[in-house]
Amino acid sequence: MTVIIAGPSPGSRKVAEGISTVLDAELVYAQSKVFPDGERYVRVPEDIDDDVVIVQTLSPPQDSSLVEAMLLANASKGAGASRAVLVAPYMAYSRQDKRFLPGEPISIEVVLGSLASSGYDAIVTVEIHKEESLNFFPGKSINVRPYKYMAEKISPPSDTLVLAPDLGAIERAQQFAEAIGAQYDYLIKKRDRMTGEIVIEPKTIAAKNRHVVIVDDIISTGGTIARAATLLLQQGASTVEVVVAHALLAGDAVEKLKRSGIRRVYAANTLPPKHDPLIQYIDVSSIIAENLKQIL
Ligand code: R5P
């Protein structure tokens, strides 16, 4: 019988528990520790004789979470697992998916290649930055897109205007909007690749007196979403809410979002929660479990 192993990275346990409930599968918690010199250690149950599903989101500190994920695959195969499936609700390094500047790495190629060589046969992730990146993983992979599910849970009115912060995120806005029968559009975002500075350019969108929901994959520093919200409120939007798959919320992101006038951020629980009334988490473990059934 398949065993679900909850990895030690922050945010993994709740998802592992949700998956094991839906699949009615045995759940165990991996042992872990950090040696005095900073190296990581994990241990899984001995005598595994079937598939294992290792739930280890690649949450900050991403590099440690990644190393633990790799060690868990090796430990599980060594304990007899026939196949190792990684559930990584947040796939770190997925935004560096090409060489934007000469001399840069394709970081997600390195990450997915390392996960494969450490023993994973399949990967399930939630809303990787670009789905094509999964081609860097040689085994089976599934990218779970959470926006329809989140729209059903949030259930905003159908006269909501749904916006992507840039053209690259339009499909995300479309999936959310179609689930509630709303209109959708996109803003124009430009990022300076040297400084990281973001500019959201004004675009005439019928936002006046509208409830607006901005849909994106990630909030990291909050710069993209805060600038978009400020612009929309200046254009007369009545309220601005945000839906994201991954709320990384680095540094002072929560304060930045509050200052921009955003009323609420809805985030999937792919990362550990930040306890602030601005952020409401939606548990997506059931849709991950449904997708896992295709592999198990
Ligand atoms: C970029 O392509 C992503 O989809 C996000 O819009 C971006 O990573 C968000 O970063 P930040 O919150 O730092 O602006």
Short mmCIF file of all heavy atoms in Angstrom, two decimals, residues 95 129-130 165-166 168-169 172 189 191 193 196 198 216-227 248-250 253 256-257, ligand 1:
data_model
loop_
_atom_site.label_atom_id
_atom_site.label_comp_id
_atom_site.label_asym_id
_atom_site.label_seq_id
_atom_site.Cartn_x
_atom_site.Cartn_y
_atom_site.Cartn_z
N ARG A 95 11.19 30.35 -11.53
CA ARG A 95 11.15 31.59 -12.32
C ARG A 95 12.43 31.80 -13.14
O ARG A 95 12.41 32.53 -14.12
CB ARG A 95 10.89 32.79 -11.40
CG ARG A 95 9.45 32.86 -10.95
CD ARG A 95 9.24 33.89 -9.88
NE ARG A 95 9.87 33.48 -8.64
CZ ARG A 95 10.00 34.24 -7.55
NH1 ARG A 95 9.52 35.47 -7.57
NH2 ARG A 95 10.57 33.78 -6.46
N HIS A 129 5.98 27.98 -12.44
CA HIS A 129 5.92 29.28 -13.14
C HIS A 129 5.59 29.12 -14.63
O HIS A 129 4.74 29.81 -15.16
CB HIS A 129 7.23 30.03 -12.92
CG HIS A 129 7.22 31.40 -13.50
ND1 HIS A 129 6.31 32.37 -13.12
CD2 HIS A 129 7.99 31.96 -14.46
CE1 HIS A 129 6.53 33.48 -13.80
NE2 HIS A 129 7.54 33.25 -14.62
N LYS A 130 6.29 28.19 -15.29
CA LYS A 130 5.92 27.86 -16.68
C LYS A 130 5.86 26.33 -16.80
O LYS A 130 6.82 25.63 -16.48
CB LYS A 130 6.95 28.38 -17.69
CG LYS A 130 6.87 29.87 -17.89
CD LYS A 130 7.16 30.28 -19.33
CE LYS A 130 7.17 31.79 -19.48
NZ LYS A 130 8.35 32.42 -18.87
N PRO A 165 -1.52 40.55 -13.80
CA PRO A 165 -0.62 41.71 -13.72
C PRO A 165 0.24 41.88 -14.97
O PRO A 165 0.85 42.92 -15.17
CB PRO A 165 0.25 41.41 -12.50
CG PRO A 165 0.16 39.95 -12.31
CD PRO A 165 -1.16 39.50 -12.85
N ASP A 166 0.30 40.85 -15.81
CA ASP A 166 1.02 40.97 -17.09
C ASP A 166 0.45 39.93 -18.06
O ASP A 166 -0.31 39.03 -17.66
CB ASP A 166 2.54 40.80 -16.94
CG ASP A 166 2.94 39.49 -16.29
OD1 ASP A 166 2.20 38.49 -16.44
OD2 ASP A 166 3.98 39.45 -15.62
N GLY A 168 1.80 37.47 -19.49
CA GLY A 168 2.24 36.10 -19.18
C GLY A 168 1.32 35.37 -18.20
O GLY A 168 1.31 34.16 -18.14
N ALA A 169 0.55 36.14 -17.43
CA ALA A 169 -0.33 35.52 -16.42
C ALA A 169 -1.79 35.47 -16.88
O ALA A 169 -2.66 35.13 -16.09
CB ALA A 169 -0.21 36.29 -15.10
N ARG A 172 -3.97 32.45 -16.17
CA ARG A 172 -4.36 32.30 -14.75
C ARG A 172 -5.64 33.09 -14.50
O ARG A 172 -6.59 32.59 -13.90
CB ARG A 172 -3.24 32.82 -13.84
CG ARG A 172 -1.98 32.03 -14.07
CD ARG A 172 -0.78 32.55 -13.29
NE ARG A 172 0.31 31.62 -13.53
CZ ARG A 172 1.52 31.93 -13.97
NH1 ARG A 172 1.85 33.19 -14.18
NH2 ARG A 172 2.42 31.01 -14.19
N LYS A 189 3.28 44.88 -17.52
CA LYS A 189 4.36 44.96 -16.53
C LYS A 189 5.71 44.86 -17.23
O LYS A 189 5.88 44.06 -18.14
CB LYS A 189 4.22 43.79 -15.53
CG LYS A 189 5.35 43.72 -14.53
CD LYS A 189 5.09 42.66 -13.46
CE LYS A 189 5.92 41.43 -13.69
NZ LYS A 189 5.78 40.44 -12.60
N ARG A 191 9.94 44.60 -16.24
CA ARG A 191 10.92 44.44 -15.14
C ARG A 191 12.32 44.69 -15.70
O ARG A 191 12.68 44.15 -16.75
CB ARG A 191 10.84 43.03 -14.57
CG ARG A 191 11.72 42.83 -13.33
CD ARG A 191 11.78 41.38 -12.90
NE ARG A 191 10.56 40.91 -12.28
CZ ARG A 191 10.29 40.98 -10.98
NH1 ARG A 191 11.15 41.54 -10.16
NH2 ARG A 191 9.16 40.49 -10.51
N ARG A 193 15.87 43.83 -15.82
CA ARG A 193 16.55 42.57 -15.47
C ARG A 193 17.81 42.80 -14.63
O ARG A 193 18.30 41.89 -13.98
CB ARG A 193 16.93 41.81 -16.74
CG ARG A 193 15.76 41.12 -17.39
CD ARG A 193 15.42 39.82 -16.66
NE ARG A 193 14.03 39.47 -16.88
CZ ARG A 193 13.33 38.72 -16.04
NH1 ARG A 193 13.85 38.25 -14.95
NH2 ARG A 193 12.07 38.43 -16.31
N GLY A 196 15.91 44.61 -11.11
CA GLY A 196 14.72 43.94 -10.59
C GLY A 196 13.54 44.90 -10.47
O GLY A 196 12.44 44.50 -10.10
N ILE A 198 10.31 47.07 -11.04
CA ILE A 198 9.10 46.75 -11.81
C ILE A 198 8.34 48.03 -12.14
O ILE A 198 8.20 48.91 -11.29
CB ILE A 198 8.16 45.86 -10.98
CG1 ILE A 198 8.80 44.51 -10.73
CG2 ILE A 198 6.81 45.67 -11.66
CD1 ILE A 198 8.17 43.81 -9.57
N ASP A 216 -2.31 35.96 -9.92
CA ASP A 216 -0.92 35.73 -10.33
C ASP A 216 -0.44 34.42 -9.70
O ASP A 216 -1.12 33.85 -8.84
CB ASP A 216 -0.03 36.90 -9.90
CG ASP A 216 1.24 37.02 -10.75
OD1 ASP A 216 1.41 36.22 -11.70
OD2 ASP A 216 2.06 37.91 -10.46
N ASP A 217 0.74 33.95 -10.14
CA ASP A 217 1.25 32.70 -9.54
C ASP A 217 1.93 32.94 -8.20
O ASP A 217 1.73 32.18 -7.27
CB ASP A 217 2.19 31.94 -10.51
CG ASP A 217 3.39 32.75 -10.96
OD1 ASP A 217 3.35 33.99 -10.87
OD2 ASP A 217 4.39 32.14 -11.41
N ILE A 218 2.73 34.02 -8.12
CA ILE A 218 3.57 34.19 -6.93
C ILE A 218 3.52 35.63 -6.43
O ILE A 218 3.56 36.56 -7.23
CB ILE A 218 5.05 33.88 -7.27
CG1 ILE A 218 5.22 32.44 -7.73
CG2 ILE A 218 5.97 34.15 -6.09
CD1 ILE A 218 6.64 32.07 -8.14
N ILE A 219 3.44 35.79 -5.13
CA ILE A 219 3.83 37.07 -4.53
C ILE A 219 5.16 36.81 -3.83
O ILE A 219 5.22 35.99 -2.92
CB ILE A 219 2.82 37.59 -3.49
CG1 ILE A 219 1.47 37.86 -4.15
CG2 ILE A 219 3.36 38.86 -2.83
CD1 ILE A 219 0.42 38.34 -3.16
N SER A 220 6.19 37.48 -4.28
CA SER A 220 7.48 37.34 -3.60
C SER A 220 7.72 38.58 -2.74
O SER A 220 7.37 38.60 -1.56
CB SER A 220 8.59 37.13 -4.63
OG SER A 220 9.82 36.99 -3.96
N THR A 221 8.22 39.66 -3.33
CA THR A 221 8.40 40.89 -2.55
C THR A 221 7.11 41.69 -2.44
O THR A 221 7.03 42.64 -1.67
CB THR A 221 9.44 41.80 -3.22
OG1 THR A 221 8.91 42.22 -4.50
CG2 THR A 221 10.76 41.09 -3.42
N GLY A 222 6.14 41.35 -3.27
CA GLY A 222 4.87 42.10 -3.29
C GLY A 222 4.90 43.29 -4.23
O GLY A 222 3.88 43.97 -4.41
N GLY A 223 6.06 43.56 -4.85
CA GLY A 223 6.19 44.74 -5.71
C GLY A 223 5.20 44.75 -6.87
O GLY A 223 4.53 45.75 -7.14
N THR A 224 5.08 43.62 -7.55
CA THR A 224 4.20 43.54 -8.74
C THR A 224 2.76 43.83 -8.34
O THR A 224 2.08 44.68 -8.94
CB THR A 224 4.28 42.12 -9.35
OG1 THR A 224 5.63 41.87 -9.72
CG2 THR A 224 3.35 41.97 -10.54
N ILE A 225 2.29 43.12 -7.34
CA ILE A 225 0.87 43.22 -6.97
C ILE A 225 0.56 44.58 -6.34
O ILE A 225 -0.48 45.19 -6.61
CB ILE A 225 0.51 42.06 -5.99
CG1 ILE A 225 0.60 40.71 -6.72
CG2 ILE A 225 -0.87 42.26 -5.39
CD1 ILE A 225 -0.40 40.49 -7.84
N ALA A 226 1.49 45.10 -5.50
CA ALA A 226 1.24 46.41 -4.87
C ALA A 226 1.14 47.50 -5.92
O ALA A 226 0.25 48.36 -5.86
CB ALA A 226 2.35 46.71 -3.87
N ARG A 227 2.02 47.45 -6.92
CA ARG A 227 1.97 48.49 -7.96
C ARG A 227 0.69 48.37 -8.77
O ARG A 227 0.05 49.37 -9.12
CB ARG A 227 3.19 48.38 -8.88
CG ARG A 227 4.41 49.00 -8.25
CD ARG A 227 5.51 49.27 -9.29
NE ARG A 227 6.60 50.00 -8.68
CZ ARG A 227 7.52 49.47 -7.88
NH1 ARG A 227 7.45 48.19 -7.58
NH2 ARG A 227 8.48 50.19 -7.37
N LEU A 248 4.85 33.76 -1.09
CA LEU A 248 6.19 33.72 -0.47
C LEU A 248 6.34 34.85 0.55
O LEU A 248 6.92 34.66 1.59
CB LEU A 248 7.27 33.88 -1.55
CG LEU A 248 7.71 32.64 -2.28
CD1 LEU A 248 8.55 33.01 -3.48
CD2 LEU A 248 8.51 31.70 -1.38
N LEU A 249 5.85 36.02 0.20
CA LEU A 249 5.79 37.18 1.11
C LEU A 249 7.14 37.43 1.78
O LEU A 249 7.28 37.39 3.00
CB LEU A 249 4.68 36.96 2.15
CG LEU A 249 3.28 36.78 1.54
CD1 LEU A 249 2.29 36.29 2.58
CD2 LEU A 249 2.80 38.07 0.90
N ALA A 250 8.13 37.69 0.94
CA ALA A 250 9.48 37.95 1.44
C ALA A 250 9.58 39.34 2.05
O ALA A 250 8.91 40.28 1.60
CB ALA A 250 10.48 37.83 0.27
N ALA A 253 6.79 42.33 2.54
CA ALA A 253 5.74 42.23 1.50
C ALA A 253 4.34 42.47 2.06
O ALA A 253 3.53 43.17 1.44
CB ALA A 253 5.81 40.86 0.82
N LYS A 256 3.76 46.10 2.55
CA LYS A 256 3.70 46.75 1.23
C LYS A 256 2.31 46.55 0.61
O LYS A 256 1.71 47.48 0.07
CB LYS A 256 4.77 46.11 0.34
CG LYS A 256 5.19 46.94 -0.83
CD LYS A 256 6.18 46.19 -1.68
CE LYS A 256 7.57 46.12 -1.11
NZ LYS A 256 8.49 45.31 -1.93
N LEU A 257 1.80 45.34 0.73
CA LEU A 257 0.48 45.04 0.15
C LEU A 257 -0.61 45.83 0.89
O LEU A 257 -1.53 46.36 0.28
CB LEU A 257 0.19 43.54 0.23
CG LEU A 257 1.14 42.65 -0.59
CD1 LEU A 257 0.90 41.18 -0.27
CD2 LEU A 257 0.98 42.89 -2.08
C1 R5P B 1 6.77 36.93 -12.43
O1 R5P B 1 6.88 36.59 -13.59
C2 R5P B 1 5.83 36.28 -11.48
O2 R5P B 1 4.71 35.77 -12.15
C3 R5P B 1 5.39 37.19 -10.36
O3 R5P B 1 4.59 38.25 -10.89
C4 R5P B 1 6.58 37.78 -9.64
O4 R5P B 1 7.53 36.79 -9.38
C5 R5P B 1 6.16 38.45 -8.36
O5 R5P B 1 7.31 38.94 -7.71
P1 R5P B 1 7.22 40.18 -6.74
O6 R5P B 1 6.15 39.90 -5.73
O7 R5P B 1 8.59 40.26 -6.13
O8 R5P B 1 6.91 41.39 -7.58
#
